[in-house]
Amino acid sequence: MTQNPNLAALSAAGVSVWLDDLSRQRLQSGNLQELIDTKSVVGVTTNPSIFQKALAESDAYDGQIAELAERGADVDATIRTVTTDDVRNACDVLTPQWENSDGVDGRVSIEVDPRLAHDAEKTAKQAIELWKIVDRPNLFIKIPATEAGLPAITSTLAEGISVNVTLIFSVERHRAVMDAYLAGLEQAKAAGHDLSKIHSVASFFVSRVDTEIDKRLEKINTPEALELRGKAAVANARLAYAAYQEYFVGGERFAALEADGARVQRPLWASTGVKNPDYSDTLYVTELVAPNTVNTMPEKTIDAVADHGVVSGDTVTGTAASAQEVFDKLDAVGIDVTDVFLVLENEGVQKFEESWSELLEETQKQLDSSDK
Protein backbone atom coordinates (compact mmCIF):
# COMPACT_ATOMS: atom_id res chain seq x y z
CA MET A 1 0.00 0.00 0.00
CA THR A 2 1.28 3.50 -0.86
CA GLN A 3 1.03 6.31 1.67
CA ASN A 4 -0.39 9.64 0.56
CA PRO A 5 2.63 11.93 -0.10
CA ASN A 6 1.29 14.97 1.80
CA LEU A 7 0.56 12.95 4.94
CA ALA A 8 3.85 11.07 4.57
CA ALA A 9 5.63 14.47 4.44
CA LEU A 10 3.80 15.52 7.61
CA SER A 11 4.97 12.33 9.37
CA ALA A 12 8.53 12.85 8.09
CA ALA A 13 8.49 16.35 9.61
CA GLY A 14 7.85 14.81 13.06
CA VAL A 15 4.06 15.08 13.27
CA SER A 16 2.23 11.85 14.16
CA VAL A 17 -1.07 11.64 12.28
CA TRP A 18 -3.88 10.38 14.53
CA LEU A 19 -7.55 9.92 13.66
CA ASP A 20 -10.00 11.75 15.91
CA ASP A 21 -12.78 9.20 15.55
CA LEU A 22 -13.65 5.58 16.27
CA SER A 23 -16.65 3.35 15.66
CA ARG A 24 -17.28 -0.37 15.44
CA GLN A 25 -18.22 0.08 11.82
CA ARG A 26 -14.76 1.60 11.14
CA LEU A 27 -13.15 -1.41 12.79
CA GLN A 28 -15.32 -4.07 11.14
CA SER A 29 -15.16 -2.58 7.63
CA GLY A 30 -11.37 -2.39 7.69
CA ASN A 31 -11.52 1.41 7.27
CA LEU A 32 -9.16 2.05 10.20
CA GLN A 33 -6.61 -0.37 8.73
CA GLU A 34 -6.99 1.35 5.35
CA LEU A 35 -6.23 4.76 6.91
CA ILE A 36 -3.13 3.26 8.54
CA ASP A 37 -2.02 1.80 5.20
CA THR A 38 -2.73 4.82 2.98
CA LYS A 39 -3.02 7.98 5.13
CA SER A 40 -0.13 7.57 7.63
CA VAL A 41 -2.53 7.18 10.59
CA VAL A 42 -0.64 5.90 13.66
CA GLY A 43 -3.10 6.59 16.49
CA VAL A 44 -6.75 7.15 17.44
CA THR A 45 -8.46 9.51 19.86
CA THR A 46 -12.02 9.15 21.13
CA ASN A 47 -14.32 11.23 23.30
CA PRO A 48 -17.95 11.00 24.52
CA SER A 49 -19.23 12.88 21.42
CA ILE A 50 -17.56 10.34 19.11
CA PHE A 51 -19.06 7.34 20.91
CA GLN A 52 -22.50 8.95 21.10
CA LYS A 53 -22.45 9.49 17.31
CA ALA A 54 -21.16 5.94 16.69
CA LEU A 55 -23.99 4.36 18.69
CA ALA A 56 -26.70 6.61 17.27
CA GLU A 57 -25.71 6.13 13.62
CA SER A 58 -24.86 2.43 13.43
CA ASP A 59 -26.59 -0.88 14.02
CA ALA A 60 -23.18 -2.54 14.60
CA TYR A 61 -23.82 -2.47 18.37
CA ASP A 62 -27.34 -3.91 18.35
CA GLY A 63 -26.35 -7.54 18.93
CA GLN A 64 -24.02 -6.80 21.84
CA ILE A 65 -26.49 -4.40 23.48
CA ALA A 66 -29.30 -6.98 23.18
CA GLU A 67 -27.03 -9.55 24.83
CA LEU A 68 -26.11 -7.15 27.63
CA ALA A 69 -29.80 -6.28 28.13
CA GLU A 70 -30.58 -9.97 28.49
CA ARG A 71 -27.89 -10.24 31.17
CA GLY A 72 -29.47 -7.33 33.04
CA ALA A 73 -26.62 -4.88 32.50
CA ASP A 74 -27.44 -1.28 33.43
CA VAL A 75 -26.71 1.65 31.14
CA ASP A 76 -23.33 2.55 32.70
CA ALA A 77 -22.07 -1.03 32.50
CA THR A 78 -23.29 -1.28 28.90
CA ILE A 79 -21.44 1.88 27.83
CA ARG A 80 -18.30 0.73 29.61
CA THR A 81 -18.40 -2.68 27.90
CA VAL A 82 -19.20 -1.36 24.42
CA THR A 83 -16.64 1.48 24.42
CA THR A 84 -13.80 -0.50 26.00
CA ASP A 85 -14.38 -3.32 23.50
CA ASP A 86 -14.00 -0.85 20.60
CA VAL A 87 -10.92 0.72 22.13
CA ARG A 88 -9.30 -2.66 22.87
CA ASN A 89 -9.91 -3.77 19.28
CA ALA A 90 -8.45 -0.52 17.95
CA CYS A 91 -5.41 -1.03 20.21
CA ASP A 92 -4.94 -4.45 18.60
CA VAL A 93 -5.19 -2.99 15.08
CA LEU A 94 -2.53 -0.39 15.99
CA THR A 95 -0.15 -2.80 17.76
CA PRO A 96 2.34 -2.86 14.83
CA GLN A 97 2.58 0.96 14.92
CA TRP A 98 3.09 0.81 18.69
CA GLU A 99 5.87 -1.77 18.33
CA ASN A 100 7.58 0.01 15.42
CA SER A 101 7.68 3.34 17.26
CA ASP A 102 8.92 1.91 20.59
CA GLY A 103 5.59 2.75 22.20
CA VAL A 104 5.43 6.38 21.06
CA ASP A 105 2.59 5.89 18.56
CA GLY A 106 0.03 3.15 17.92
CA ARG A 107 -1.97 4.67 20.75
CA VAL A 108 -5.73 4.70 21.35
CA SER A 109 -7.28 7.08 23.89
CA ILE A 110 -10.37 6.52 26.03
CA GLU A 111 -11.83 9.23 28.22
CA VAL A 112 -12.89 9.03 31.85
CA ASP A 113 -16.54 9.88 32.50
CA PRO A 114 -16.64 13.70 31.98
CA ARG A 115 -19.06 14.04 34.90
CA LEU A 116 -16.02 13.36 37.10
CA ALA A 117 -14.02 16.29 35.64
CA HIS A 118 -14.09 18.18 38.95
CA ASP A 119 -13.43 15.20 41.23
CA ALA A 120 -9.75 14.21 41.32
CA GLU A 121 -10.17 11.06 43.40
CA LYS A 122 -12.99 9.54 41.33
CA THR A 123 -11.21 10.46 38.08
CA ALA A 124 -8.02 8.67 39.16
CA LYS A 125 -10.02 5.66 40.37
CA GLN A 126 -11.85 5.34 37.04
CA ALA A 127 -8.58 5.80 35.11
CA ILE A 128 -7.14 2.72 36.85
CA GLU A 129 -10.38 0.80 36.23
CA LEU A 130 -10.39 1.60 32.48
CA TRP A 131 -6.69 0.71 32.21
CA LYS A 132 -7.41 -2.72 33.70
CA ILE A 133 -10.55 -3.36 31.61
CA VAL A 134 -8.95 -2.51 28.24
CA ASP A 135 -5.75 -4.27 29.31
CA ARG A 136 -3.55 -3.08 26.45
CA PRO A 137 -0.13 -1.40 26.84
CA ASN A 138 -0.84 1.01 23.94
CA LEU A 139 -3.84 2.58 25.68
CA PHE A 140 -4.01 6.24 26.76
CA ILE A 141 -6.42 7.28 29.50
CA LYS A 142 -7.80 10.73 28.73
CA ILE A 143 -8.10 13.05 31.71
CA PRO A 144 -9.24 16.68 31.36
CA ALA A 145 -6.83 19.44 32.43
CA THR A 146 -9.27 20.99 34.90
CA GLU A 147 -8.00 22.14 38.31
CA ALA A 148 -9.23 18.83 39.76
CA GLY A 149 -7.80 16.94 36.80
CA LEU A 150 -4.21 17.96 37.53
CA PRO A 151 -3.74 15.86 40.72
CA ALA A 152 -5.62 12.99 39.02
CA ILE A 153 -3.11 13.14 36.14
CA THR A 154 -0.20 12.93 38.57
CA SER A 155 -1.65 10.04 40.59
CA THR A 156 -2.60 8.08 37.44
CA LEU A 157 0.91 8.43 35.98
CA ALA A 158 2.35 7.46 39.38
CA GLU A 159 0.59 4.09 38.93
CA GLY A 160 2.54 3.56 35.69
CA ILE A 161 -0.49 4.37 33.51
CA SER A 162 -0.07 6.38 30.29
CA VAL A 163 -2.20 9.53 30.06
CA ASN A 164 -3.59 11.78 27.34
CA VAL A 165 -4.31 15.10 29.05
CA THR A 166 -7.23 16.74 27.26
CA LEU A 167 -9.03 20.11 27.11
CA ILE A 168 -5.95 22.34 27.40
CA PHE A 169 -6.60 25.84 26.07
CA SER A 170 -4.00 28.14 27.65
CA VAL A 171 -0.21 28.05 27.81
CA GLU A 172 -0.48 28.67 31.56
CA ARG A 173 -2.57 25.50 32.00
CA HIS A 174 -0.23 23.62 29.65
CA ARG A 175 2.64 24.46 32.02
CA ALA A 176 0.60 23.15 34.96
CA VAL A 177 -0.04 19.94 32.96
CA MET A 178 3.69 19.47 32.28
CA ASP A 179 4.37 19.99 35.99
CA ALA A 180 1.71 17.37 36.79
CA TYR A 181 3.35 14.98 34.31
CA LEU A 182 6.82 15.42 35.82
CA ALA A 183 5.41 14.99 39.35
CA GLY A 184 3.72 11.77 38.18
CA LEU A 185 6.99 10.46 36.75
CA GLU A 186 8.85 11.31 39.96
CA GLN A 187 6.27 9.37 41.99
CA ALA A 188 6.32 6.48 39.49
CA LYS A 189 10.10 6.32 39.77
CA ALA A 190 9.88 6.26 43.59
CA ALA A 191 7.35 3.40 43.29
CA GLY A 192 9.75 1.41 41.11
CA HIS A 193 7.94 1.73 37.75
CA ASP A 194 9.85 1.58 34.47
CA LEU A 195 9.65 5.19 33.26
CA SER A 196 10.33 4.23 29.65
CA LYS A 197 6.93 2.49 29.56
CA ILE A 198 4.98 5.58 30.70
CA HIS A 199 3.89 7.88 27.89
CA SER A 200 1.81 11.03 27.75
CA VAL A 201 0.52 13.67 25.36
CA ALA A 202 -0.83 17.12 26.22
CA SER A 203 -3.89 17.77 24.02
CA PHE A 204 -3.91 21.46 23.22
CA PHE A 205 -7.19 22.58 21.64
CA VAL A 206 -6.80 24.80 18.60
CA SER A 207 -9.83 25.78 16.47
CA ARG A 208 -12.10 26.64 19.40
CA VAL A 209 -9.67 29.42 20.39
CA ASP A 210 -10.19 31.17 17.05
CA THR A 211 -13.96 30.62 17.20
CA GLU A 212 -14.26 32.35 20.59
CA ILE A 213 -11.71 35.12 19.99
CA ASP A 214 -12.97 35.89 16.45
CA LYS A 215 -16.49 36.33 17.87
CA ARG A 216 -15.16 38.90 20.35
CA LEU A 217 -13.04 40.67 17.71
CA GLU A 218 -16.08 41.03 15.47
CA LYS A 219 -17.99 42.57 18.37
CA ILE A 220 -15.21 45.15 18.84
CA ASN A 221 -15.37 45.69 15.04
CA THR A 222 -12.40 48.05 14.59
CA PRO A 223 -9.92 47.57 11.71
CA GLU A 224 -7.21 46.60 14.24
CA ALA A 225 -9.50 43.98 15.83
CA LEU A 226 -10.74 42.53 12.54
CA GLU A 227 -7.16 42.23 11.29
CA LEU A 228 -6.46 39.73 14.11
CA ARG A 229 -9.18 37.23 13.14
CA GLY A 230 -7.91 33.69 12.55
CA LYS A 231 -4.51 34.36 14.13
CA ALA A 232 -4.95 33.58 17.84
CA ALA A 233 -5.27 29.77 17.70
CA VAL A 234 -2.05 29.12 15.76
CA ALA A 235 -0.16 31.71 17.85
CA ASN A 236 -1.43 30.10 21.06
CA ALA A 237 -0.32 26.62 19.94
CA ARG A 238 3.09 27.95 18.90
CA LEU A 239 3.57 29.46 22.35
CA ALA A 240 2.58 26.10 23.85
CA TYR A 241 5.30 24.43 21.78
CA ALA A 242 7.86 26.96 23.05
CA ALA A 243 6.81 26.06 26.62
CA TYR A 244 7.18 22.34 25.76
CA GLN A 245 10.74 22.99 24.54
CA GLU A 246 11.54 24.91 27.71
CA TYR A 247 10.44 21.97 29.87
CA PHE A 248 11.75 19.05 27.84
CA VAL A 249 14.67 20.29 25.77
CA GLY A 250 17.26 21.06 28.41
CA GLY A 251 14.85 21.43 31.34
CA GLU A 252 16.64 20.36 34.53
CA ARG A 253 13.70 18.60 36.15
CA PHE A 254 13.11 16.43 33.09
CA ALA A 255 16.83 15.79 32.55
CA ALA A 256 17.00 14.04 35.94
CA LEU A 257 14.14 11.72 34.91
CA GLU A 258 15.38 11.22 31.35
CA ALA A 259 18.44 9.48 32.74
CA ASP A 260 16.00 6.83 34.02
CA GLY A 261 14.32 6.41 30.64
CA ALA A 262 11.55 9.03 30.91
CA ARG A 263 9.87 10.20 27.71
CA VAL A 264 8.85 13.74 26.79
CA GLN A 265 5.17 14.65 27.01
CA ARG A 266 4.41 15.48 23.39
CA PRO A 267 2.11 18.36 22.47
CA LEU A 268 -0.97 17.06 20.64
CA TRP A 269 -2.94 19.49 18.46
CA ALA A 270 -6.62 18.71 19.01
CA SER A 271 -9.77 20.33 17.61
CA THR A 272 -7.99 20.81 14.28
CA GLY A 273 -11.05 20.73 12.04
CA VAL A 274 -11.51 24.27 10.70
CA LYS A 275 -14.86 25.80 11.74
CA ASN A 276 -14.70 29.01 9.64
CA PRO A 277 -15.17 28.38 5.89
CA ASP A 278 -13.18 31.57 5.16
CA TYR A 279 -10.02 29.87 6.44
CA SER A 280 -7.98 27.17 4.73
CA ASP A 281 -9.31 23.74 5.73
CA THR A 282 -5.71 22.64 6.46
CA LEU A 283 -4.80 25.74 8.53
CA TYR A 284 -4.42 23.94 11.87
CA VAL A 285 -2.23 21.26 10.31
CA THR A 286 0.17 22.99 7.94
CA GLU A 287 0.78 25.92 10.32
CA LEU A 288 1.54 23.59 13.26
CA VAL A 289 4.28 21.34 11.86
CA ALA A 290 6.98 20.65 14.44
CA PRO A 291 9.07 17.70 15.64
CA ASN A 292 7.69 15.51 18.42
CA THR A 293 4.06 16.56 18.00
CA VAL A 294 0.78 14.80 17.25
CA ASN A 295 -2.10 16.16 15.17
CA THR A 296 -5.37 14.33 15.77
CA MET A 297 -7.78 15.06 12.93
CA PRO A 298 -11.31 14.22 11.91
CA GLU A 299 -11.29 12.20 8.69
CA LYS A 300 -12.48 15.26 6.72
CA THR A 301 -9.31 17.14 7.71
CA ILE A 302 -7.08 14.13 6.96
CA ASP A 303 -8.66 14.01 3.48
CA ALA A 304 -8.13 17.76 2.98
CA VAL A 305 -4.42 17.46 3.88
CA ALA A 306 -4.10 14.41 1.63
CA ASP A 307 -5.68 16.32 -1.26
CA HIS A 308 -4.07 19.78 -1.06
CA GLY A 309 -2.13 20.25 2.19
CA VAL A 310 1.23 21.94 1.62
CA VAL A 311 3.78 20.61 4.12
CA SER A 312 6.97 22.66 3.95
CA GLY A 313 8.87 21.53 7.06
CA ASP A 314 8.83 22.98 10.57
CA THR A 315 6.44 25.97 10.81
CA VAL A 316 6.59 26.34 14.61
CA THR A 317 10.13 26.34 16.03
CA GLY A 318 11.43 29.87 16.51
CA THR A 319 8.02 31.54 16.13
CA ALA A 320 7.38 32.34 19.83
CA ALA A 321 8.23 36.05 19.54
CA SER A 322 5.86 36.66 16.61
CA ALA A 323 3.19 34.52 18.33
CA GLN A 324 3.51 36.66 21.46
CA GLU A 325 3.04 39.78 19.31
CA VAL A 326 -0.38 38.45 18.28
CA PHE A 327 -1.38 38.18 21.94
CA ASP A 328 0.00 41.65 22.72
CA LYS A 329 -2.19 43.03 19.91
CA LEU A 330 -5.22 41.09 21.18
CA ASP A 331 -4.67 42.63 24.60
CA ALA A 332 -4.31 46.09 23.02
CA VAL A 333 -7.70 45.86 21.28
CA GLY A 334 -9.40 44.71 24.49
CA ILE A 335 -9.54 40.90 24.34
CA ASP A 336 -9.48 39.35 27.83
CA VAL A 337 -7.66 36.11 26.98
CA THR A 338 -7.87 34.81 30.56
CA ASP A 339 -11.65 34.98 30.30
CA VAL A 340 -11.54 33.37 26.83
CA PHE A 341 -9.68 30.34 28.17
CA LEU A 342 -11.96 30.02 31.21
CA VAL A 343 -15.06 30.10 28.98
CA LEU A 344 -13.54 27.52 26.61
CA GLU A 345 -12.60 25.11 29.42
CA ASN A 346 -16.05 25.34 31.01
CA GLU A 347 -17.73 24.89 27.62
CA GLY A 348 -15.44 21.96 26.78
CA VAL A 349 -16.33 20.08 29.97
CA GLN A 350 -20.01 20.94 29.51
CA LYS A 351 -20.04 19.73 25.88
CA PHE A 352 -18.53 16.39 26.88
CA GLU A 353 -21.00 16.07 29.78
CA GLU A 354 -23.89 16.75 27.38
CA SER A 355 -22.54 14.17 24.92
CA TRP A 356 -22.19 11.68 27.76
CA SER A 357 -25.83 12.31 28.75
CA GLU A 358 -26.86 11.77 25.12
CA LEU A 359 -24.78 8.59 25.06
CA LEU A 360 -26.57 7.38 28.20
CA GLU A 361 -29.96 8.19 26.65
CA GLU A 362 -29.14 6.52 23.33
CA THR A 363 -27.82 3.39 25.08
CA GLN A 364 -30.80 3.24 27.46
CA LYS A 365 -33.12 3.51 24.47
CA GLN A 366 -31.34 0.58 22.80
CA LEU A 367 -31.39 -1.47 26.03
CA ASP A 368 -35.12 -0.81 26.39
CA SER A 369 -35.90 -1.82 22.80
CA SER A 370 -33.80 -4.98 23.25
CA ASP A 371 -35.91 -5.92 26.28
CA LYS A 372 -39.12 -5.96 24.26
Side-chain angles (χ1 to χ4, degrees), residues 9 52 58 69 104 114 137 165 170 177 188 196 210 267 294 304-305 313 319 339:
Q52 186 270 327
S58 170
V104 172
V165 184
S170 71
V177 164
S196 70
D210 271 344
V294 179
V305 176
T319 60
D339 182 66

Side-chain angles (χ1 to χ4, degrees), residues 15-64:
V15 182
S16 294
V17 177
W18 290 7
L19 172 69
D20 190 28
D21 193 49
L22 183 65
S23 66
R24 190 154 300 180
Q25 205 247 336
R26 247 188 221 289
L27 288 160
Q28 291 176 345
S29 67
N31 170 264
L32 176 58
Q33 187 60 56
E34 188 187 336
L35 291 172
I36 292 165
D37 293 339
T38 64
K39 301 275 177 71
S40 295
V41 167
V42 290
V44 167
T45 48
T46 69
N47 61 45
S49 308
I50 285 168
F51 279 127
Q52 186 270 327
K53 188 169 175 276
L55 258 83
E57 294 180 3
S58 170
D59 56 9
Y61 300 92
D62 293 0
Q64 184 177 25

Side-chain angles (χ1 to χ4, degrees), residues 9-318:
L10 191 62
S11 300
V15 182
S16 294
V17 177
W18 290 7
L19 172 69
D20 190 28
D21 193 49
L22 183 65
S23 66
R24 190 154 300 180
Q25 205 247 336
R26 247 188 221 289
L27 288 160
Q28 291 176 345
S29 67
N31 170 264
L32 176 58
Q33 187 60 56
E34 188 187 336
L35 291 172
I36 292 165
D37 293 339
T38 64
K39 301 275 177 71
S40 295
V41 167
V42 290
V44 167
T45 48
T46 69
N47 61 45
S49 308
I50 285 168
F51 279 127
Q52 186 270 327
K53 188 169 175 276
L55 258 83
E57 294 180 3
S58 170
D59 56 9
Y61 300 92
D62 293 0
Q64 184 177 25
I65 290 173
E67 195 184 304
L68 288 162
E70 208 172 301
R71 284 198 248 146
D74 65 17
V75 67
D76 286 302
T78 301
I79 288 171
R80 192 162 53 244
T81 302
V82 164
T83 57
T84 54
D85 279 3
D86 277 5
V87 167
R88 186 184 305 108
N89 290 334
C91 282
D92 291 343
V93 172
L94 282 152
T95 295
Q97 286 65 40
W98 178 73
E99 289 171 344
N100 294 339
S101 64
D102 190 26
V104 172
D105 284 312
R107 296 273 168 180
V108 185
S109 299
I110 189 169
E111 191 141 353
V112 292
D113 183 334
R115 294 172 299 180
L116 308 177
H118 301 293
D119 189 323
E121 205 175 306
K122 285 182 180 171
T123 294
K125 191 178 171 193
Q126 193 180 72
I128 294 167
E129 188 181 293
L130 287 169
W131 181 259
K132 286 176 177 170
I133 293 169
V134 176
D135 193 26
R136 292 294 184 272
N138 51 333
L139 178 70
F140 265 142
I141 304 295
K142 271 176 103 173
I143 299 175
T146 55
E147 291 285 357
L150 296 170
I153 290 156
T154 295
S155 57
T156 302
L157 290 159
E159 296 286 337
I161 295 170
S162 296
V163 174
N164 174 346
V165 184
T166 189
L167 287 178
I168 308 170
F169 293 98
S170 71
V171 177
E172 183 187 17
R173 185 56 59 87
H174 182 214
R175 287 177 180 278
V177 164
M178 292 187 286
D179 283 330
Y181 173 62
L182 293 172
L185 289 183
E186 285 159 357
Q187 290 179 26
K189 179 182 169 180
H193 290 289
D194 179 353
L195 297 190
S196 70
K197 299 281 194 290
I198 304 170
H199 289 252
S200 184
V201 290
S203 292
F204 203 84
F205 278 52
V206 185
S207 67
R208 293 185 198 180
V209 172
D210 271 344
T211 303
E212 181 64 27
I213 288 182
D214 284 1
K215 189 171 71 180
R216 298 183 186 209
L217 290 168
E218 281 160 12
K219 210 171 174 183
I220 294 165
N221 201 28
T222 63
E224 294 83 2
L226 297 177
E227 178 64 28
L228 291 166
R229 285 178 300 180
K231 293 183 177 173
V234 167
N236 196 37
R238 287 173 171 176
L239 288 170
Y241 190 77
Y244 151 79
Q245 288 181 303
E246 188 189 309
Y247 270 71
F248 294 106
V249 184
E252 280 181 30
R253 193 175 173 194
F254 177 66
L257 293 160
E258 195 175 19
D260 288 299
R263 315 289 190 126
V264 300
Q265 182 185 52
R266 291 189 296 168
L268 178 151
W269 313 128
S271 180
T272 53
V274 175
K275 310 285 193 291
N276 188 332
D278 294 338
Y279 303 157
S280 160
D281 55 1
T282 64
L283 172 68
Y284 304 128
V285 181
T286 56
E287 294 303 308
L288 293 176
V289 178
N292 260 346
T293 57
V294 179
N295 197 310
T296 187
M297 307 175 225
E299 191 169 12
K300 191 178 170 186
T301 305
I302 289 176
D303 289 343
V305 176
D307 182 61
H308 53 265
V310 179
V311 179
S312 52
D314 188 340
T315 53
V316 177
T317 305

Side-chain angles (χ1 to χ4, degrees), residues 114 118 167 343-357:
H118 301 293
L167 287 178
V343 164
L344 287 171
E345 182 182 303
N346 289 338
E347 275 182 3
V349 172
Q350 190 186 339
K351 278 177 187 169
F352 281 165
E353 281 180 3
E354 284 167 5
S355 295
W356 194 265
S357 296

